[in-house]
Every structure is written in C-alpha cells, then in structure tokens.
Amino acid sequence: MAIISDDAGIEKRAKRNPIIKSETIEYDNTFENSIRPKDFESYIGQSALKETLRIILEAAKKRGKPLDHMLFYGPPGLGKTTIAGVIASQMGVEIKITSAPSLERPRDIIGILMSLKGGEILFIDEIHRLNKVAEEILYPAMEDFTLDMTTGKSQTAKTLRVPLPKFTLIGATTKAGELSSPLRDRFGMIHRLEFYTVEELSEVVKRTARILDIDITQEGATAIAMRSRGTPRIANRLVKRVSDFAIVKYDGKIDEDVANESLDILKIDEFGLDNTDRALLSLIIDKYDGGPVGIETIAAALSEDVRTIEDVCEPYLLQAGLLQRTPRGRKVSPEGFRHLGRKMPSAQTSLFRLD
Ligand code: ADE
C-alpha cells in the first residue's frame, strides 16, 4: 500500500488541484493530432493488432464491461498513441493522455485516477519511467479499481480505501524490458508494434496528402515512403516538408522527381537516414574502425543523450541491418559501410566472418 500523504483530505484537494489538470496532456491541434485516424478503417498497417482489437472491443461491448488494461510497445512513431485514440473512439469513451515523467508526485497520479469516469481510458506514455510510488498506487487501481491511501502521521495513521470507476489503462513504452514484472503482469494484453512496409507507408502518405489537399502520384508517395524509416510519424512529417517544396517551387503537385529532389535537399537519404544517423555510423567507422564501441562513448562524441540514441536512432539502424549490437558495444555492419560508401578495414571484414 502506498503512503500518499501525512495529512487528511488529499482526495478533495487532488480533485480540484489545477496543476494535476494542466499536466494531463490532452489531444491538441498540432499537425500530428489533426491527421490521426479515428477508426480501424483509416488506421493503416498493424493488421494483426487491429484484428485482435476488433474482437476484444466487440466482446467488451457485448459484455458491457470495460476493456482489459493493455500495453503497447515498440520504437517511437509507430502509432501507439494513435491506436489508443482509435480504441477510445470505437468504444465511444473519453481518453485522458499523460506520460510517466509528468506523474512525479503521488498526487499527480491520484488526481488523474480520481478524475476518470466509468469506462474511460487512461493512456500513460513512456510507462517504463513511472516511479515506484506511482506504480504502487497503480497496482490496486488496475486490479481492484481502488485507491489505497494512508493519511495522518504514524501513530494516528488511517487507511482509506477509495473506490474508483472501472477504467482501462493503456500503457505505451519503447522499452518493455524496463517495466517491472508486477506492473507488466497487470496488463491483460501486451502487443509489440512493428515497423511499416513501404506499401503501408505509401498509403499513409496518400491519406495525409489527401487531408492536406495536395496532389500526389503513386510514385511520389512511394518515394516518400521509402525514406520514412518504416515509421508513419516520419512519413507524415516528410509529406508536410515535401508539400511545402511542391507548393513553393513546383505547381503544388508531388511526383517522384519532386519528392526525391525535396528529400535530397532535406538531406534524407534513400534509406531514410538523416544527418544524425549518418554522423553516428561515420563516427564508429572513422574513430573506432567500425566498432565495437560503447553507447555512452557514441552519445558523448555526438553530444546527444544516450536515450535519444537508443530510442530514436538505433531501432531503425538495427532493423535496417546497418548497425549491430554486440556484448562489447555497437558496430557498423558491412551493409552500413557500403551504405556510406566506405571500404571495410580488412581486419574488420574477418571479424565479421568470425561473429
Ligand atoms: N498516421 C499515423 N499512423 C497512422 C496509421 N497507422 N494509419 C494512418 N495514418 C497514420
């Protein structure tokens, strides 16, 4: 049981505390939010996940019960928040969106839990970063829909069990392995989101171009999709950038040449790598003979933090086979050398053969 406060009346204050409200990230009007699909039909890709969810949602509706708690994991930008929004709108319920780093104090998570209504969805992004106290508040909330609170100082301490409405927690993380097992075990469904194929991404690109009222050819959409690192968030950003080029420099229409020329100017290469990705690979090749080298050393040399390298750059470089993770650190693969137009040192070539 978590010790929440040493004085009484916390639940009343939590309810009216404006800080708690302002720390709940609601859907805003950013470009990304304005193009988020709201139903399964317009949500492209992740077909296995959609199939499972369709059944789970129908069963919950038939039973008149709230959905099981769900955990989505995978690299950033693959649509974890988006699918949570789709689930909420298909269930006809509200979704409250927050992220673990903004649930620092016990009253933050208590305030949000107490503001929920029956059936509503609480979405916690980066849930692996939840602190221990917040986690312990969540356990009985997830399991029994109760808040266990201790009020008063040691001798006069009183335990208060506050019932909560039946809600659904959807957690999202880029690092499922960093979740404690008691928290992981409380999710009824755990699903990994996969990188998108070029065909799926070109559908995402065409859908976004339609919303932006921009003409695009199939070849133009494929060209953007090929440089989007398997990630719809990147595809959507590139559509926006390329359409700016198309409007200013061309007649507003995106074809293959317009897409490729704009992406070249933006320094997004044919694998979708940007300057940071290429700097990372070049660093390992030029300064460490292709690796292996530790992630901290790479981050320091690039003036980036380890988390950005691990969460944002690496997943795609690994998946594309340009980078390899070994017990002694990261090394650039033969494909990575080839992609940057570099020759592998002969010792390195034999090292790879031995691996
Ligand atoms: N935008 C972001 N993710 C998407 C998806 N999966 N389908 C359609 N549009 C998206």
Side-chain angles (χ1 to χ4, degrees):
M1 185 184 305
I3 297 178
I4 306 301
S5 165
D6 61 2
D7 57 2
I10 181 136
E11 72 271 33
K12 274 193 202 136
R13 290 208 317 280
K15 243 182 183 166
R16 60 173 191 255
N17 188 334
I19 297 168
I20 292 169
K21 254 189 170 166
S22 69
E23 283 184 356
T24 304
I25 307 162
E26 304 284 354
Y27 270 133
D28 57 25
N29 281 329
T30 60
F31 167 64
E32 194 173 344
N33 286 332
S34 67
I35 56 169
R36 278 189 205 280
K38 302 280 183 295
D39 50 41
F40 287 123
E41 287 65 42
S42 45
Y43 186 98
I44 295 151
Q46 310 295 345
S47 48
L49 172 61
K50 284 194 293 188
E51 273 322 296
T52 313
L53 285 175
R54 276 202 177 97
I55 293 167
I56 292 179
L57 264 59
E58 204 179 317
K61 277 184 193 160
K62 280 192 175 147
R63 284 201 207 103
K65 293 248 168 82
L67 294 164
D68 269 358
H69 305 304
M70 301 178 196
L71 179 68
F72 297 133
Y73 70 99
L78 297 190
K80 298 185 282 292
T81 314
T82 307
I83 198 74
V86 170
I87 294 170
S89 70
Q90 297 282 297
M91 290 298 286
V93 298
E94 288 293 313
I95 178 167
K96 288 216 161 73
I97 301 179
T98 187
S99 81
S102 62
L103 302 174
E104 207 182 309
R105 299 158 305 178
R107 66 177 181 188
D108 298 331
I109 181 95
I110 293 171
I112 288 181
L113 287 170
M114 293 188 62
S115 73
L116 294 170
K117 298 189 191 76
E120 281 187 0
I121 292 175
L122 172 60
F123 179 85
I124 304 183
D125 202 5
E126 297 191 75
I127 196 161
H128 62 280
R129 294 175 67 186
L130 215 54
N131 64 45
K132 202 76 219 128
V133 177
E135 253 191 40
E136 282 179 11
I137 294 168
L138 265 186
Y139 296 157
M142 290 173 76
E143 214 156 327
D144 307 320
F145 302 107
T146 58
L147 260 180
D148 290 341
M149 297 201 282
T150 304
T151 59
K153 294 225 167 80
S154 51
Q155 296 283 357
T156 56
K158 273 200 215 104
T159 305
L160 207 63
R161 177 158 266 222
V162 182
L164 289 171
K166 293 195 168 56
F167 68 100
T168 299
L169 176 67
I170 301 185
T173 176
T174 49
K175 295 201 161 113
E178 285 186 16
L179 237 68
S180 72
S181 36
L183 181 57
R184 205 170 39 234
D185 292 348
R186 284 172 169 81
F187 288 98
M189 173 189 174
I190 300 181
H191 190 96
R192 181 193 142 100
L193 274 80
E194 305 293 341
F195 280 113
Y196 289 59
T197 63
V198 169
E199 289 70 32
E200 288 166 346
L201 285 178
S202 82
E203 291 306 312
V204 172
V205 167
K206 285 190 285 182
R207 175 179 179 271
T208 303
R210 244 187 341 265
I211 296 170
L212 292 174
D213 203 16
I214 291 281
D215 264 355
I216 188 164
T217 63
Q218 178 59 50
E219 292 74 21
T222 304
I224 296 176
M226 282 167 68
R227 300 199 200 192
S228 298
R229 312 165 61 110
T231 309
R233 180 183 292 157
I234 296 179
N236 286 332
R237 281 196 201 134
L238 295 184
V239 178
K240 186 92 188 305
R241 293 281 76 80
V242 173
S243 60
D244 290 345
F245 268 89
I247 290 166
V248 174
K249 289 188 71 177
Y250 305 95
D251 58 359
K253 186 174 172 150
I254 302 175
D255 61 18
E256 190 176 5
D257 289 343
V258 171
N260 283 331
E261 195 183 321
S262 323
L263 294 168
D264 287 344
I265 292 169
L266 291 168
K267 303 226 174 329
I268 311 287
D269 69 24
E270 64 279 13
F271 259 55
L273 307 197
D274 62 16
N275 282 336
T276 310
D277 304 310
R278 283 190 298 270
L280 189 153
L281 296 175
S282 301
L283 174 86
I284 303 177
I285 292 174
D286 296 336
K287 296 262 171 28
Y288 302 95
D289 289 333
V293 56
I295 186 80
E296 282 84 10
T297 310
I298 298 173
L302 294 174
S303 306
E304 287 282 358
D305 64 57
V306 170
R307 195 172 268 147
T308 307
I309 304 272
E310 278 185 338
D311 293 355
V312 181
C313 301
E314 266 196 356
Y316 183 72
L317 293 175
L318 292 166
Q319 135 100 16
L322 302 172
L323 190 71
Q324 295 177 332
R325 198 151 43 188
T326 77
R328 288 184 298 137
R330 276 52 170 184
K331 62 185 187 184
V332 178
S333 69
E335 183 60 38
F337 272 84
R338 249 194 313 279
H339 182 64
L340 289 197
R342 309 297 182 84
K343 223 168 117 37
M344 282 181 78
S346 44
Q348 180 76 4
T349 315
S350 62
L351 244 183
F352 270 103
R353 283 208 200 99
L354 286 173
D355 270 354

